[in-house]
Amino acid sequence: MKLQLTGKTALVTGASSGIGRGLAKALAAEGVLLAVSARRAEPLASLADEIEKAGGARPVVLTADLSKRGQAANLAARATVALGRVDILVNNAGVGIGGAQHVVGDDAMARELFETNYWSALALIAALVPAMRTRGVGAVVNVASIGAVTPMPLAGHYSSSKAALSLCSETMRLELRGSGVNVFSVLPGPVDTGMLAEFGVVPGADKVLGKMPRGNVAELSRKVVRGLERGQRALVYPTALGFMRHLPTLANRISASVIDGLVDVDDARKLQGGSHGDPLALAARSAFEARG
Ligand SMILES: NC(=O)c1ccc[n+]([C@@H]2O[C@H](COP(=O)([O-])OP(=O)(O)OC[C@H]3O[C@@H](n4cnc5c(N)ncnc54)[C@H](OP(=O)(O)O)[C@@H]3O)[C@@H](O)[C@H]2O)c1
C-alpha cells in the first residue's frame, strides 16, 4: 500500500551514525517529522542541527540504550508524547560481535546483542503498531541484513539476530494484511559505515568483503524512502545481492565456496562492536570516521 510521507511522523533508532543517520536525513527531506534515537546524544544533536539547516523540521532527540530491557518501551512512550503519534517505526539500531559461536556462547554480550538487534525492535513494534492499526495507516521498517540468509564465520550471533528480525517482518506482514500498516524488510549487504569498518577486524573478513559489491548510505537511504512511499515489502541492497534472498540455498553454497579458507576460524577472540565496543573495534570505527 502506498504511503504519502509529507506530514507523517517517524521514530528512527540507531540514528547517531551510518544508515540510521542517512535514513533520518532522507525522511526529513520528504517532510517527515522525526524522533531520532541512539545512546550518544552529541551526534544526535548534530544530526538535528544538520536537518534543521537543510530546511527540515528539527527532530526530537531521545537517547536510549536498547541493550537494556525496558528501554525500548520507554522510548516508544516518549516518542509518542513528543510527536503526538508515530506513523513510521524504523528499527535500525544494531550491533555486531566478532567471535565463533562456541567461544561467545550465550554470554552477556551475546544477550545484549539480541536485546538490541531483536527484542528491542519487537518491544517497539508491540508499543507502536496497535495504534497504527487503529488509525489504519503506518509502516514498520526492519533493517535486518543479507547475513539473515547467509552464514558468515565469526559473525553468527549477529546473523542469527538478523534472521530472527527478518522472519519477524515476514510473519508480521501476514498478520497485518489489510490493516493499512506496511512491513518493509531491508536486507543490506556491505554498506560503508563504522560497523562495516569494525567487521574488517575479524581476520580474513576484509578478503571476503573484497569479493562482494559494496553500497553507500546515501543511495540505500533513497531506496528505502522510495520503497516506503511505494509500499514495498523487501529491499536487498546492493541490488546485485538480490538473488541471495530468493535463492538462499544457492547463495549459501556460493558463499561457502567464496569464504572457504579466507576467514581465520581458529581466531579465539570475542570482540564487541559498536560505539561502546572493544578498543580494536573502536579504532577501526574511528579510522573510518576520520576518512570522512
Ligand atoms: N553497514 C553494513 O554493511 C550493514 C549491513 C547489513 C545490515 N546493517 C544494519 O544496519 C543498521 C545500521 O548499522 P550501520 O552500518 O549504520 O552501523 P553503525 O554506524 O554502527 O550504526 C549503528 C547504530 O545503532 C545504534 N546502537 C547500537 N547499539 C545501540 C544500543 N545499545 N542502544 C541504542 N542504539 C544503539 C548506534 O548508536 P549509538 O552507538 O550512539 O548507541 C548507531 O546509531 C544495523 O542494524 C546493522 O546491523 C549494516
Side-chain angles (χ1 to χ4, degrees):
M1 72 226 65
K2 293 196 172 168
L3 186 68
Q4 165 62 251
L5 292 180
T6 311
K8 292 288 187 302
T9 58
L11 168 61
V12 181
T13 68
S16 58
S17 60
I19 294 168
R21 196 176 178 95
L23 286 175
K25 288 196 280 188
L27 287 168
E30 296 295 324
V32 176
L33 180 58
L34 296 169
V36 291
S37 187
R39 288 167 298 185
R40 291 169 296 161
E42 192 281 322
L44 291 176
S46 80
L47 170 65
D49 290 343
E50 206 180 316
I51 287 174
E52 199 174 26
K53 264 193 209 137
R58 187 175 181 83
V60 180
V61 168
L62 300 172
T63 55
D65 183 348
L66 297 178
S67 71
K68 308 271 183 277
R69 189 176 181 190
Q71 292 238 349
N74 178 273
L75 171 64
R78 287 186 288 146
T80 304
V81 169
L83 298 173
R85 63 178 196 283
V86 176
D87 297 315
I88 303 164
L89 166 63
V90 182
N91 277 320
N92 166 76
V95 69
I97 293 176
Q101 308 271 271
H102 64 274
V103 174
V104 180
D106 75 329
D107 78 3
M109 78 165 72
R111 286 173 180 269
E112 281 188 7
L113 176 145
F114 267 84
E115 193 66 48
T116 306
N117 293 6
Y118 184 65
W119 291 118
S120 286
L122 263 286
L124 287 165
I125 286 165
L128 298 172
V129 167
M132 293 181 198
R133 283 191 77 189
T134 303
R135 290 193 298 273
V137 62
V140 176
V141 182
N142 284 331
V143 180
S145 165
I146 200 64
V149 290
T150 325
M152 170 79 187
L154 308 188
H157 289 73
Y158 174 78
S159 301
S160 305
S161 71
K162 294 299 186 177
L165 186 63
S166 173
L167 204 54
C168 156
S169 302
E170 302 305 324
T171 309
M172 274 178 70
R173 193 171 304 112
L174 299 176
E175 293 166 348
L176 294 172
R177 209 170 153 200
S179 69
V181 182
N182 186 35
V183 182
F184 187 12
S185 182
V186 178
L187 305 172
V191 176
D192 259 325
T193 68
M195 180 184 277
L196 191 69
E198 69 190 18
F199 185 56
V201 169
V202 170
D206 52 338
K207 293 188 196 127
V208 176
L209 293 174
K211 292 180 182 291
M212 295 178 78
R214 187 174 292 209
N216 66 78
V217 166
E219 188 179 33
L220 171 58
S221 302
R222 280 196 298 276
K223 283 178 180 280
V224 172
V225 165
R226 292 285 90 83
L228 257 177
E229 283 174 331
R230 285 201 297 261
Q232 199 170 317
R233 293 151 56 135
L235 170 71
V236 176
Y237 174 83
T239 314
L241 299 176
F243 79 97
M244 296 177 106
R245 173 167 169 264
H246 296 291
L247 299 168
T249 307
L250 177 66
N252 281 352
R253 289 219 177 132
I254 295 172
S255 298
S257 66
V258 168
I259 291 167
D260 193 30
L262 291 183
V263 176
D264 175 9
V265 291
D266 292 327
D267 186 69
R269 295 173 298 174
K270 42 182 170 182
L271 293 165
Q272 170 121 42
S275 68
H276 293 43
D278 286 326
L280 207 54
L282 280 176
R285 185 170 279 271
S286 304
F288 168 78
E289 282 162 8
R291 288 208 308 270

